Amino acid sequence: IITYPHTQADMAENKRTDQEVRECLRWAHCSPEVRAEDGRADLEFMEDGKIFRPELDDERDWVKDLSPGQKQKLAFARLFYHKPSFVVLDE
């Protein structure tokens, strides 16, 4: 979802790494990695009564699973990853 439309093959060809994706997620405050201070992650949700933290390669129905705020944060992570020359933002 962050690297779209790039595939894993595109990432390898361009020498981009999963670590870069994770860094972009942290910058956008939507990382599924647990923060030590409170045991929670920026990107987590409940599934079948349990906390679920998605992995980079998970395929899900993100439109249904993510809140509007989470979608907005992931959009920023995509911007950080793709590094466009300019961005037009609209509320």
Side-chain angles (χ1 to χ4, degrees), residues 13 38 47 49 59 81:
E13 182 179 317
D38 65 2
E47 185 174 87
E59 294 183 21
Y81 176 82

Side-chain angles (χ1 to χ4, degrees), residues 3-5 23 29 35-36 42 47 51 60 62 65 70 87:
T3 62
Y4 179 83
E23 189 172 76
H29 301 280
R35 296 180 308 215
D42 292 319
E47 185 174 87
I51 294 174
R60 304 182 57 86
W62 296 110
D65 289 340
Q70 289 170 323
V87 177

Side-chain angles (χ1 to χ4, degrees), residues 1 43 45 58-72 74:
I1 196 168
L43 182 59
F45 44 90
D58 284 355
E59 294 183 21
R60 304 182 57 86
D61 187 350
W62 296 110
V63 173
K64 289 169 128 179
D65 289 340
L66 299 173
S67 71
Q70 289 170 323
K71 291 174 190 172
Q72 188 175 44
L74 286 173

Side-chain angles (χ1 to χ4, degrees), residues 4-74:
Y4 179 83
H6 296 170
T7 63
Q8 286 182 329
D10 294 330
M11 283 182 65
E13 182 179 317
N14 294 310
K15 297 183 179 21
R16 304 294 298 267
T17 65
D18 285 351
Q19 187 57 35
E20 287 180 79
V21 175
R22 287 185 186 92
E23 189 172 76
C24 292
L25 289 167
R26 281 192 298 275
W27 289 342
H29 301 280
C30 60
S31 172
E33 297 172 359
V34 175
R35 296 180 308 215
E37 60 268 8
D38 65 2
R40 294 185 51 138
D42 292 319
L43 182 59
E44 65 181 25
F45 44 90
M46 296 296 289
E47 185 174 87
D48 299 325
K50 296 181 182 176
I51 294 174
F52 178 77
R53 296 179 183 107
E55 299 291 329
L56 294 181
D57 295 332
D58 284 355
E59 294 183 21
R60 304 182 57 86
D61 187 350
W62 296 110
V63 173
K64 289 169 128 179
D65 289 340
L66 299 173
S67 71
Q70 289 170 323
K71 291 174 190 172
Q72 188 175 44
K73 289 177 180 182
L74 286 173

